[in-house]
Amino acid sequence: MPRSLPFRRSPLLFLLIPTLLLAEDQGLEHVNTLFQVSTLDALSLGIYQGALSLRALERQGDFGVGTFDSLDGELIALDGRFFQVRSDGTVSRVAGDATTPFAAVTTFKPDWRLTLQQPWSYPQVSALIDQMLPSKNLFYAVKIKGTFTDLTARSVPRQFLPFPPLATAISQQTLFPFHNISGTLVGFRSPAFVKGINQPGYHFHFISDDQHSGGHALSFQIIQVVIEIAVIRQHSTFLPDNQPFLSAPLPLP
Ligand code: ZN
């Protein structure tokens, strides 16, 4: 537009543009945050004591994954609704008084969206997303909503004191094989350098559209999905103050 030319040539505007870009780039106002409770190493050791209430966790995000006090099932947060998938397969909305020993949430604001209509597996979908990402050194929130021809989820049974290590508890997991199911995978891709704090790579939990099925996703095959991805450049870890955490030999070797 010819009328805009004088403005483009304004020295003031030339000064302003880099300043505004710098403010956008260096400020924290528009940066997504991953808020995490405890560390993966602590959970691996069997520190399943709830450290933060769901009421407090809900204030830190509307999208995420985790577990519950005593490792009582899988936590999934989607659109501000928090769900618990127990090892008997039941799914329920969670009240604010429930507590979590380990969770990761963000306020989901996608930067990119793509549609896939291929019979692709978890490794194929994650390889495609990996190719698209600008860097493997950032966190990403990933939401995959659509139809899955196959999806295997799991949940773990409530544990009792003295708590066994996570590997022992997972050996008691219940598998839920689903076929031709519609729902949403909620998850994160974390950089390799967070090892010990969180799980490097992808970690997804699933909730069906009817909110009757879900769990920690072990494998899946998509057929038609929409994938939304948010870049996360800020990470915040809330540490438990219970004695098992305070005296735990962290990090794990
Ligand atoms: Zn999980």
Side-chain angles (χ1 to χ4, degrees), residues 25 38 54 66 68 72 91 94 112-113 135 143 162 206 213 236:
D25 191 43
S38 192
L54 267 284
F68 293 90
D72 190 10
V91 182
V94 204
W112 307 301
R113 179 179 292 116
S135 169
K143 177 177 171 180
F206 178 76
S213 307
S236 168

Side-chain angles (χ1 to χ4, degrees), residues 18 120 133 148-151 161 191 224:
W120 279 4
L133 299 178
F148 301 81
T149 47
D150 290 285
L151 188 147
L161 288 166
Q224 177 154 4

Side-chain angles (χ1 to χ4, degrees), residues 110-133:
D111 295 294
W112 307 301
R113 179 179 292 116
L114 74 144
T115 301
L116 281 184
Q117 300 184 41
Q118 279 101 347
W120 279 4
S121 66
Y122 190 165
Q124 287 173 308
V125 172
S126 55
L128 176 81
I129 298 173
D130 275 355
Q131 283 175 17
M132 296 172 39
L133 299 178

Side-chain angles (χ1 to χ4, degrees), residues 1 26 39 42 46 55 71 74 93 122 138 164 176 192 195 198 200 218 233 250:
M1 281 168 62
Q26 307 290 55
T39 72
R55 188 177 296 108
L71 206 69
E74 309 285 349
R93 288 281 291 274
Y122 190 165
L138 301 173
F176 311 122
K195 186 179 182 299
N198 207 320
L218 295 174
R233 289 175 53 205
L250 296 170

Side-chain angles (χ1 to χ4, degrees), residues 51-96:
L52 191 71
S53 71
L54 267 284
R55 188 177 296 108
L57 186 67
E58 286 166 4
R59 288 193 209 110
Q60 303 299 326
D62 57 11
F63 176 100
V65 300
T67 185
F68 293 90
D69 180 70
S70 304
L71 206 69
D72 190 10
E74 309 285 349
L75 181 156
I76 303 139
L78 177 62
D79 300 326
R81 290 188 284 270
F82 285 67
F83 300 94
Q84 180 176 21
V85 182
R86 287 207 166 90
S87 65
D88 63 1
T90 57
V91 182
S92 49
R93 288 281 291 274
V94 204

Side-chain angles (χ1 to χ4, degrees), residues 65-67 74-75 102 154 199 203-205 215-217:
V65 300
T67 185
E74 309 285 349
L75 181 156
F102 182 83
R154 73 112 193 276
Q199 179 179 317
H203 180 195
F204 288 110
H205 286 190
H216 169 107

Side-chain angles (χ1 to χ4, degrees), residues 32-34 36 104 111-112 133 135-142 188-194 197-201 229-237:
N32 294 321
T33 300
L34 178 65
Q36 174 176 334
D111 295 294
W112 307 301
L133 299 178
S135 169
K136 293 199 168 64
N137 294 334
L138 301 173
F139 291 87
Y140 301 92
V142 182
F188 297 97
R189 187 195 191 285
S190 299
F193 60 75
V194 297
I197 296 172
N198 207 320
Q199 179 179 317
I229 301 171
V231 181
I232 298 178
R233 289 175 53 205
Q234 185 163 234
H235 183 272
S236 168
T237 309

